[in-house]
Amino acid sequence: MIAGTVIRQNGIYRRLAIGITGLWAVLFLTGCGGSTFLSQTAQEESDVTMSIKGMEAWITNEGKPEYTLTSTQAILLEKRNCIQMDKIHIKFFRESGDEESGNLTSDHGYYYFREAEGMTRNRGDVDLIGRVLVNMADGAMLRTEEIVYDGVTRKISSGKPFEKSRVSEKQVIKISGKGFVTDRDMLNWEVTGAVMSVDTPSTSTQKAKES
């Protein structure tokens, strides 16, 4: 398997990659150390090796696009094996690589670019933290506070309460739960503690909207 990333910093394209036993990993996104984004100590700040404004990254797997990522600001924490980011937007592609499966945004996030002793995360994992919004290709929308992307299994998951909704002309379907796991295509879902509600607008409400 070959994974690669190209990052654009302030309009300049750079390839930031680390070759590890034939596998190419990139320097950018998810979650080193959990939700410590706003509470770094002086020692942690000394780990900063690069500050990046206006970052874009393209992640590929065996030549097919896996996802693209942009952030307004990023900090490379090399000693902690991750990149810490602010105001994130991720665009996922289906396994086939030729269609988008969804767009995710969050306030903060982290990307693990290599594994290290004592780490419980995989190289390529991504954490999205704070007001996470998912807009799926089929028109559904999901809101939660945290999402994790597993760079090995290619699974998207959350252990936080969420609400998934789909709006049509005839009804609004909402599914809430305590957590979920889905594939990168966002087609197959496993939900914990699911509760579903269906709201059918009245005829008068529909006519008012049409007018």
Side-chain angles (χ1 to χ4, degrees):
M1 178 179 66
I2 298 177
T5 302
V6 177
I7 294 178
R8 184 171 73 180
Q9 177 185 358
N10 295 333
I12 301 175
Y13 289 89
R14 307 173 185 273
R15 179 174 293 276
L16 283 77
I18 299 176
I20 305 175
T21 62
L23 188 141
W24 291 94
V26 311
L27 303 179
F28 67 105
L29 290 184
T30 81
C32 55
S35 306
T36 58
F37 188 89
L38 300 178
S39 59
Q40 287 185 324
T41 64
Q43 178 59 44
E44 289 172 330
E45 290 174 352
S46 68
D47 292 342
V48 175
T49 55
M50 182 186 297
S51 179
I52 304 170
K53 291 186 178 180
M55 188 183 76
E56 297 180 29
W58 291 263
I59 312 305
T60 60
N61 182 28
E62 297 181 347
K64 295 181 179 179
E66 185 170 335
Y67 59 90
T68 63
L69 175 143
T70 62
S71 69
T72 58
Q73 185 168 340
I75 299 174
L76 170 61
L77 304 174
E78 189 167 0
K79 292 183 179 179
R80 297 168 63 190
N81 304 306
C82 70
I83 293 181
Q84 174 180 287
M85 298 181 300
D86 201 4
K87 302 299 180 186
I88 300 169
H89 175 211
I90 298 180
K91 180 189 297 182
F92 277 103
F93 293 87
R94 299 194 187 280
E95 293 288 346
S96 60
D98 55 2
E99 292 183 72
E100 294 180 19
S101 59
N103 288 269
L104 290 72
T105 59
S106 70
D107 290 340
H108 313 297
Y110 303 87
Y111 172 80
Y112 292 97
F113 56 83
R114 64 169 171 250
E115 296 175 349
E117 184 178 354
M119 288 180 62
T120 58
R121 306 298 302 279
N122 298 308
R123 180 175 62 250
D125 285 0
V126 178
D127 290 341
L128 299 178
I129 301 169
R131 297 189 298 176
V132 183
L133 175 64
V134 183
N135 286 296
M136 286 157 260
D138 61 3
M141 182 175 65
L142 182 145
R143 296 179 185 273
T144 186
E145 282 302 307
E146 291 186 13
I147 277 182
V148 172
Y149 177 66
D150 191 309
V152 174
T153 65
R154 307 295 198 274
K155 297 289 187 180
I156 300 169
S157 65
S158 177
K160 298 291 185 179
F162 73 92
E163 181 179 271
K164 182 183 177 185
S165 60
R166 184 191 304 276
V167 180
S168 68
E169 294 181 359
K170 296 183 178 180
Q171 60 185 10
V172 178
I173 301 175
K174 293 183 179 180
I175 300 176
S176 59
K178 298 178 181 179
F180 69 86
V181 179
T182 185
D183 53 19
R184 201 175 84 207
D185 290 351
M186 301 186 195
L187 296 176
N188 302 299
W189 293 75
E190 298 177 13
V191 177
T192 303
V195 176
M196 185 174 71
S197 65
V198 179
D199 181 27
T200 303
S202 64
T203 304
S204 60
T205 302
Q206 290 180 0
K207 288 182 177 179
K209 289 182 178 180
E210 290 173 0
S211 61

